Structure formats: C-alpha cells, structure tokens
Amino acid sequence: MEHKRYLLWLSLLCSLTLLPAIMLNVLLILNEGDVKAMSFAASEWQERTHGVTYTPTMGNNALFKRLRLNDRLPEVDTVIMGSSTGMPIDQSMLPAGWHLYNLTMSGSPLSSSIAQAEYLVEHAPSIKHYIIALDWALDSVYQTSDIPAFDLSRPNRAALPDTPRPKVMDTLLEATSYLRMQKLWKVLTYIAHSPAPEKTVREYFFQMGSDEYTCPDGITLGKDFGIHNRGSCNGFRYDGSATYSDYTRAENPGQLIFSALSSGSKYARALAHTQGAIDPGLFARLDALSQRIARNGGVLILHMPPLLPGLEKAFTARTPYSEYLARTKNEVRAWAAGKPVVLADFGQSEKYGCTYGEFLDEHHATSSCYHKVFANFWGSARLPDGRSLATPDRH
C-alpha cells in the first residue's frame, strides 16, 4: 500500500510539472511551424515599415527572400547571391548609386546562385550588378554543372501548398525533447524578467510573432516571428542583409583552426571532394552568364568570402590541402582571364584587418569585417578593360 501511494504521488507530481511544460511547448511549436504564413506576414510587415524582421524558418528563408526581392525589384540594380556567409553585406558597403537587395539564402550553393542570376538576367534587365560567392570552404565551387532552373517570380499565396501540419504524436514527441525543454526554460526565464509579463506571455504563446518594438538605435522598428532572438533586432533589414546582432562570436580560434585541419572536418572534405578541381560545366555556365550580364551593361563580381583569420593560411601550409586550394584558385583565375568578370579573394581576412571577434564561426564574418574588406576592394577593383569598377560610397 505504501508503494502504491508513493507511485501515485510520484505520477501526480510528474503530471503537474511535465504536462504543463509539454502543452506550452505544443503552443510554441504551433506558433512557429507555418513557414508560409510567417514568410508572408514578415514580408508584408517589412514592406510597410522598412523595419528589421526575424523569420524563424531555421534555414528555410527562400520564400521570404523571394517575396522581398519582388517588392524591391523596381528600385534595385544590385543583387548579392550565395549562402548565409554573405548575409551581412548591406547597402552601406556598396558604391554610391548602387541600390542593393541581398538575396543570399541559408545554405544556398553556387549552382543555385547561377540559376537565380540566369532568371534575373532574363526577367529583370534593370539589375546591373551581380555579386556571387565562390565559397570553397562550404564545398560550393566543387559541385556539378547540373543546375536546375530557379523561379524568382512573385509567389502566389493561394497557389503555394500550405505547410503540412505535423502528426499529433510527432508534435508531442518534439514537445518532450531536451532541446524544446531547454528553449522553453529560456522563454519562461525571459517572461519572469519581463517588465510586462502578461504581454510577453501573449506574444510567445498566443501569437505568430512579437509586437513591434524599437531597435537599439532608437529609430528602426523590429518584429520577430517565432520564438527565437526576440527583441534583439536580429534579422533581415529592408535591403535583405542580416544584422547578426544577437549571435555569439567565435571563441578559441586556435582550436577552431586545429579542428578545421582534421581530415574529417567539412572544410577538409570540401577540398578533398574533387582535390580542388572545378567542374568545367560550372565555368561554362558562369561564362555564358557573364556575357549576358555584360551585354545588358552590367558586371558579374565573383568573390571568395572572408574566413576566420589564419584559417585559410593554415590550409595553404598543410599538404595535400595546400595543393587542392591552389588548384582551385588557379583554375578560377585562369578561367576569368579576359572575361567580363571581376574577381575578389577575401579568404585571408586578416589581410584586411579582420579579427577573430568579427566572426560567428570559421566562415561567418560579421558586418564590421565586411566593411573593412569592401573598403579595400572598391579602391582597387578594376573592370577587364582597366577602368575603375566604382567609387566607394563614404557615407
């Protein structure tokens, strides 16, 4: 009898503590699970306010970026394409008279950038400047030339399929996971320290996104969709660039570089994938693209993004990676010779004054590093005919 009473009280205690937590997690999951609804809501809000918005799509921000591009197309002549490594590039880093939309998307490879640019050359002749990343560290330049077409037309809300609702059991399993419980604890802690707890509870558990708020600059409006990075203006600006305002910076750079050099790291695997060789078909697609852009009076700029200070230099000193990386860069330079393209290699970011504290990790530079990189680049960049590419905007 004593044992039964103990088990009964234990079950009751678990129910009183665990079940409410599970139900709260279910509410959070439901509020952040509809990528389609959040993307349209975030885009419409940003178009109206020009504010900073966080879209909690966990890397699935293509729909949001496509919506924003179509709203911005009438007023832009410069588009940046690539993965999240290029997201911090904003309007202030470009030459005077250039008008930017940063179309970079999480995990977007070179093949997608080429297909996106091909679409815009065909459908948006007002775009004159194409800035595309050649990202060796993320295996981007070592892909095949089998590139599917990319549709960047304005999405039709009614025609897009709704985000599939997860099964009840799948939702419950996710709600009981360690990561979800960890996130819930952070949310509850934030609510406990909020000056307006009732308002904060409503925003987290009963709304798709937060209320509007003012960013730290005292001017820009912010609105966050989902439960992450609330109130920090960590999201996309009106020009498509990302603020990265609430992410931690790289720590223990020596250990990061040491790990990157191991044969199992993604950086080592990227180089070893083709031993630094680039598919000639990719060059062919880039060649055709650059010619079409030039005929339209524009220019194709290809850049290798900045890496953690010392990272690329370490690879140039380690056999066989040094040979593979040299092969990649030699092939790119040889292909570009005499073509209407501008090349920029920012890989060794320390040459431009970037520091460890200006990186989130080994390959994500923050805006302060990019400012240094581009301040140097515009002063020396030349078109194939020797003319200066642009005069830097010093505002």
Side-chain angles (χ1 to χ4, degrees), residues 138-152:
L138 298 183
D139 204 17
S140 184
V141 297
Y142 306 121
Q143 300 165 349
T144 68
S145 57
D146 183 16
I147 303 172
F150 206 106
D151 183 6
L152 286 173

Side-chain angles (χ1 to χ4, degrees), residues 305-316:
L307 298 172
L308 187 74
L311 179 66
E312 186 170 287
K313 190 173 182 180
F315 274 98
T316 63

Side-chain angles (χ1 to χ4, degrees), residues 63-343:
L63 175 57
F64 172 79
K65 283 297 187 87
R66 194 171 144 200
L67 287 164
R68 300 304 308 127
L69 172 70
N70 278 275
D71 281 336
R72 298 296 317 282
L73 265 181
E75 60 198 53
V76 302
D77 61 8
T78 304
V79 175
I80 296 173
M81 297 166 179
S83 70
S84 56
T85 58
M87 282 183 179
I89 303 172
D90 64 37
Q91 178 67 56
S92 70
M93 303 174 194
L94 300 186
W98 292 27
H99 304 287
L100 169 72
Y101 188 73
N102 186 325
L103 190 61
T104 53
M105 305 174 188
S106 297
S108 184
L110 175 60
S111 56
S112 293
S113 296
I114 293 173
Q116 291 161 12
E118 288 172 340
Y119 176 91
L120 290 176
V121 169
E122 180 70 24
H123 296 89
S126 60
I127 303 297
K128 302 299 181 184
H129 316 115
Y130 291 79
I131 304 175
I132 296 179
L134 299 178
D135 212 331
W136 72 260
L138 298 183
D139 204 17
S140 184
V141 297
Y142 306 121
Q143 300 165 349
T144 68
S145 57
D146 183 16
I147 303 172
F150 206 106
D151 183 6
L152 286 173
S153 62
R154 182 180 295 277
N156 183 322
R157 189 196 298 255
L160 291 175
D162 291 327
T163 303
R165 300 290 270 183
K167 295 179 180 179
V168 174
M169 186 54 66
D170 292 338
T171 301
L172 290 175
L173 287 173
E174 184 179 352
T176 59
S177 69
Y178 172 76
L179 287 177
R180 278 290 173 183
M181 289 298 178
Q182 190 179 44
K183 291 175 184 176
L184 176 61
W185 179 253
K186 291 181 180 179
V187 169
L188 294 177
T189 301
Y190 184 72
I191 291 171
H193 292 90
S194 170
E198 292 182 4
K199 172 179 175 292
T200 308
V201 168
R202 169 176 53 79
E203 289 180 283
Y204 271 108
F205 294 107
F206 300 102
Q207 296 179 182
M208 184 189 301
S210 71
D211 292 345
E212 285 184 5
Y213 60 90
T214 303
C215 294
D217 64 5
I219 301 173
T220 308
L221 287 178
K223 184 177 177 67
D224 307 313
F225 291 82
I227 66 171
H228 304 284
N229 307 107
R230 287 282 182 95
S232 61
C233 276
N234 183 10
F236 293 116
R237 300 183 184 92
Y238 187 63
D239 66 6
S241 62
T243 64
Y244 284 172
S245 61
D246 195 37
Y247 292 141
T248 58
R249 300 305 188 251
E251 297 179 351
N252 300 319
Q255 181 59 46
L256 291 176
I257 293 173
F258 178 79
S259 298
L261 290 170
S262 68
S263 60
S265 80
K266 57 188 171 186
Y267 310 107
R269 292 199 306 270
L271 287 171
H273 176 51
T274 65
Q275 297 186 351
I278 299 175
D279 185 347
L282 270 181
F283 281 141
R285 293 290 288 268
L286 284 171
D287 191 7
L289 176 64
S290 68
Q291 298 292 342
R292 293 178 67 187
I293 292 172
R295 286 196 296 270
N296 189 37
V299 61
L300 173 61
I301 302 170
L302 301 172
H303 73 101
M304 292 188 176
L307 298 172
L308 187 74
L311 179 66
E312 186 170 287
K313 190 173 182 180
F315 274 98
T316 63
R318 177 69 65 90
T319 305
Y321 306 127
S322 58
E323 299 167 5
Y324 301 159
L325 186 53
R327 180 178 185 179
T328 296
K329 298 198 175 188
N330 288 337
E331 287 189 1
V332 170
R333 284 192 291 265
W335 165 79
K339 293 183 174 62
V341 299
V342 176
L343 291 180

